Amino acid sequence: MTPPGKYGDQLIDWLVGAGYTHCFFVAGGNIMHLLDSVRTRMVCVPFVHEVAAAIAVEYFNASRDDGSGRALALVTAGPGITNALTGIAGAWQESRELLVLGGQVKSSDLSRGAVRQRGIQEIDGVELVRSITKRALQVERPVAREKILDAVLSGRTPRQGPVFIELCLDAQAAPPLPDQEPVAIPDAATVAQVSSADVKQVSAWLQESERPVILVGGGVSRGAVRALGDRPAAAGIPIMTTWNGTDRVPTEHPMYCGRPNTWGQRAPNILIQQADLVVAVGTRLGLQQTGFAWEQFLPVGRLVQVDIDAAELHKGHPRVDLALCGEADSFLARLYASHLGDPDQWKAWRDFIASVRAELPLNDALNLTAPGYVKPYELAMRMCDVAEPNAIVLPCSSGGAASVSMQAYQLRAEQKLIGDKSLASMGYGLSGAIGAALANPGRQVILSEGDGGFAQNLQELGTVAATGIRLKIFVMVNNGYASIRMTQRNYFKGAWIGCDAQTGLGLPNWEQLASAYKIPYALLDAECGLDAVYVRSLLNADGPALIEVPIDPEQTYYPKISSAVQPDGSMRSNPLHRMSPDLPAEVEERVLAHLRAVAPQVCD
């Protein structure tokens, strides 16, 4: 390795030693020394906008299971930092690792709060990001390796999150510190473990239960579930997943029974509400998971929650009967290694689950699609079958394209799904897909994003074209913001504003846009759909493709949980088992049989 000629070289060498292999950046004057240092030490990928670089880093790291390399984001001072804020916030809320190096003016030009700005492009980045990072550090002059790596490693455990390091321009260019050669990274600190007594207690409750469910969240790793082998199937306990845990348990798993969520699938929403015991592992059980009417979550059963963050266990919602602070992977392995009882004792419950899932299809019969448009639920239900066996599929983060994907995707064993649903920001999909594709060269990556959200970061088609990644983009074109249009219809009697072309929203011609970037394009035919030869050809080819999907602007998106505005202006939401449209009385009587028998008042 070439000896460092300046502190910037030295710092980047430390990060290389910590496992960083890729740098996603937007060039700028206040990072010129860091950029000069990183260009010969990492794979450097220029982005058009800093928010895209930050989001891509999050997805790059989230899509790599083998720990073979990490990416970081490098952004300049001032607007470079403010542009990256959304990406930092998303990683914070999703509990994902994200290292952002930010530039800053010379230390002699810092205003230090005396005036609003002294140095050109100066803004206090540390103060801006403090509430959405695990560590935010400003470097005015070179600091020791231990201080830098202590900050960097804090983002990895026990609950992951972003780390921001802001370096003054003169610190970047300063002479390297003596006696600071890269050494081996220390082992991660020991993570809290759930006690053996608590594992035994959960096992005992499972043996006593008649209608148990294990809910697997994103805090459980893919590898940990794969390492269980056949034990979950042999145990006979039904398994559900959160949205972030979607790819932990494939659709074809014999114990898999769906993804409950506020915007989730009707059958598992109904079923989890009838469980007499839910063991929620590696999930914070936020309002998306329990419903906004969280007081009515799991009305007839006990709840065990296992999470690494004690604050999430004791936040007050939902009611938790046994809160266990500890590492999810280890807990799950120890639970399945314990004695759980006779699998036959839950056969009636498994049969009931199968009957409810058969009666309540993913595509609600009341969904309406006008002639000439693609049926979005049918498209999503087939997407994972058409995708390659190890494809990475990415639903966008908000709107109809997101909810349809998460309701209807049927993931196969080796496929991955990555999303960012907590912030639910439009425009996440393309940036995240770029990061996932760069992390997995040659692997097929499929993105589904609405036209309104896609337009918010469409400049990164330049990054797609420049890198030649194998990204297949399905743009769901429904003339703008369908979910906003629905909100304005339902709550404001169709007082339309800023939701489509007719109300002032400007969107491109997608074929011409693809052509401008020399990206292969196709228009999905409503009749042939994914079976069209030209579509299959684009999906199988190397390199990127953009496929326009015509979606009915008046498309309905059922089922959903409805909310009503109260006289005092507050919102009242239905519980998970009360999705719209209402089920026929005879169907409801069958699928809510246990809830009606144990707590009939909950069904009213």
Side-chain angles (χ1 to χ4, degrees):
M1 179 182 294
T2 304
K6 54 188 172 185
Y7 183 67
D9 298 343
Q10 193 171 47
L11 183 140
I12 298 301
D13 285 342
W14 297 338
L15 296 178
V16 170
Y20 290 91
T21 56
H22 288 67
C23 172
F24 300 165
F25 71 96
V26 177
N30 280 307
I31 54 170
M32 60 181 184
H33 292 292
L34 284 175
L35 193 55
D36 178 63
S37 298
V38 78
R39 66 182 176 84
T40 58
R41 290 167 165 82
M42 294 184 187
V43 176
C44 295
V45 182
F47 278 71
V48 182
H49 196 281
E50 288 88 354
V51 69
I55 293 168
V57 167
E58 176 197 335
Y59 280 61
F60 182 103
N61 295 331
S63 66
R64 278 200 170 181
D65 292 329
D66 58 5
S68 60
R70 287 176 160 88
L72 59 83
L74 177 60
V75 303
T76 196
I81 294 169
T82 59
N83 285 346
L85 277 176
T86 296
I88 296 172
W92 169 254
Q93 293 189 349
E94 289 293 336
S95 303
R96 288 185 180 144
E97 182 183 340
L98 170 62
L99 174 60
V100 178
L101 302 183
Q104 184 53 284
V105 300
K106 301 191 302 293
S107 58
S108 59
D109 290 344
L110 290 170
S111 64
R112 304 188 189 281
V115 292
R116 291 191 180 184
Q117 184 188 59
R118 184 175 178 182
I120 296 175
Q121 290 193 316
E122 180 197 3
I123 197 165
D124 191 338
V126 168
E127 192 61 32
L128 279 177
V129 306
R130 193 183 302 279
S131 67
I132 51 173
T133 54
K134 292 195 70 176
R135 195 78 63 86
L137 175 68
Q138 185 182 82
V139 178
E140 292 186 38
R141 59 188 58 84
V143 297
R145 174 183 179 276
E146 287 69 24
K147 187 169 184 177
I148 295 294
L149 291 186
D150 182 62
V152 170
L153 297 178
S154 71
R156 300 183 183 180
T157 187
R159 184 176 180 179
Q160 294 182 349
V163 171
F164 176 73
I165 302 177
E166 180 179 73
L167 295 105
C168 289
L169 191 60
D170 49 338
Q172 300 171 33
L177 296 174
D179 303 320
Q180 295 284 317
E181 293 302 318
V183 296
I185 299 299
D187 293 334
T190 302
V191 179
Q193 300 292 319
V194 175
S195 71
S196 298
D198 284 329
V199 174
K200 187 176 181 180
Q201 176 65 76
V202 177
S203 175
W205 281 6
L206 282 167
Q207 293 174 54
E208 297 169 7
S209 68
E210 295 180 357
R211 300 185 306 279
V213 166
I214 292 179
L215 179 64
V216 175
V220 177
S221 70
R222 300 178 188 89
V225 176
R226 302 300 186 269
L228 294 174
D230 296 332
R231 279 183 285 171
I237 303 172
I239 300 173
M240 297 183 184
T241 71
T242 67
W243 278 13
N244 279 350
T246 293
D247 59 1
R248 278 37 171 187
V249 183
T251 303
E252 64 263 30
H253 193 283
M255 292 300 111
Y256 173 78
C257 48
R259 298 189 287 271
N261 190 279
T262 297
W263 293 276
Q265 300 165 331
R266 191 194 289 264
N269 276 11
I270 283 175
L271 290 164
I272 199 169
Q273 292 287 83
Q274 299 180 85
D276 62 1
L277 174 65
V278 171
V279 182
V281 188
T283 168
R284 66 186 190 89
L285 292 178
L287 294 176
Q288 277 196 8
Q289 197 59 54
T290 64
F292 292 102
W294 58 266
E295 301 91 342
Q296 299 182 65
F297 178 66
L298 197 57
V300 296
R302 290 189 287 197
L303 176 61
V304 176
Q305 183 183 7
V306 182
D307 196 88
I308 198 65
D309 189 340
E312 294 289 357
L313 296 169
H314 303 295
K315 60 182 178 288
H317 61 86
R319 164 196 53 80
V320 178
D321 297 283
L322 182 59
L324 303 177
C325 188
E327 197 264 334
D329 286 0
S330 171
F331 170 84
L332 200 64
R334 291 156 64 203
L335 181 66
Y336 274 112
S338 65
H339 177 64
L340 298 176
D342 184 355
D344 288 342
Q345 75 185 78
W346 302 303
K347 184 178 186 305
W349 174 229
R350 293 195 300 269
D351 290 344
F352 178 73
I353 287 173
S355 68
V356 171
R357 295 186 71 203
E359 189 150 16
L360 303 177
L362 295 178
N363 185 10
D364 194 286
L366 292 182
N367 278 320
L368 301 175
T369 302
Y373 292 103
V374 172
K375 296 179 179 180
Y377 286 90
E378 293 186 6
L379 176 70
M381 289 169 66
R382 292 205 57 214
M383 189 68 77
C384 292
D385 288 332
V386 172
E388 293 179 357
N390 69 339
I392 301 173
V393 294
L394 289 95
C396 56
S397 294
S398 63
S403 57
V404 168
S405 298
M406 294 309 301
Q407 284 181 332
Y409 275 174
Q410 301 182 76
L411 242 67
R412 304 311 175 196
E414 298 308 316
Q415 292 172 343
K416 290 183 184 179
L417 184 146
I418 307 169
D420 190 312
K421 305 299 186 298
S422 297
L423 195 62
S425 171
M426 288 192 291
Y428 249 76
L430 179 58
S431 306
I434 293 170
L438 290 171
N440 299 270
R443 194 165 175 176
Q444 186 189 58
V445 177
I446 293 179
L447 166 67
S448 175
E449 186 159 29
D451 54 350
F454 193 88
Q456 291 203 356
N457 255 335
L458 57 77
Q459 77 282 341
E460 297 308 325
L461 284 174
T463 307
V464 172
T467 55
I469 51 180
R470 195 161 176 242
L471 172 59
K472 314 303 178 180
I473 303 165
F474 287 82
V475 181
M476 320 299 281
V477 177
N478 57 13
N479 189 24
Y481 304 151
S483 59
I484 301 300
R485 205 159 42 229
M486 188 179 300
T487 298
Q488 292 176 358
R489 175 189 295 114
N490 293 342
Y491 295 108
F492 305 105
K493 301 179 181 179
W496 314 120
I497 181 170
C499 58
D500 52 27
Q502 290 71 34
T503 57
L505 190 64
L507 294 170
N509 177 294
W510 299 100
E511 183 176 9
Q512 292 177 4
L513 181 69
S515 176
Y517 287 100
K518 296 182 174 59
I519 292 174
Y521 163 91
L523 176 65
L524 196 69
D525 180 76
E527 295 299 322
C528 299
L530 293 171
D531 292 321
V533 173
Y534 64 90
V535 172
R536 292 297 184 94
S537 176
L538 285 180
L539 291 179
N540 294 332
D542 292 335
L546 189 151
I547 300 168
E548 180 179 346
V549 183
I551 300 294
D552 183 0
E554 300 302 319
Q555 171 70 44
T556 54
Y557 296 94
Y558 295 130
K560 63 179 181 178
I561 292 179
S562 298
S563 299
V565 180
Q566 303 303 295
D568 63 357
S570 63
M571 300 287 286
R572 182 178 181 273
S573 297
N574 284 335
L576 284 185
H577 60 279
R578 279 288 179 209
M579 302 186 83
S580 297
D582 292 338
L583 294 171
E586 66 277 9
V587 174
E588 184 174 282
E589 186 171 351
R590 289 193 296 271
V591 300
L592 287 173
H594 292 291
L595 206 54
R596 287 186 173 280
V598 179
Q601 72 281 1
V602 178
C603 299
D604 297 333

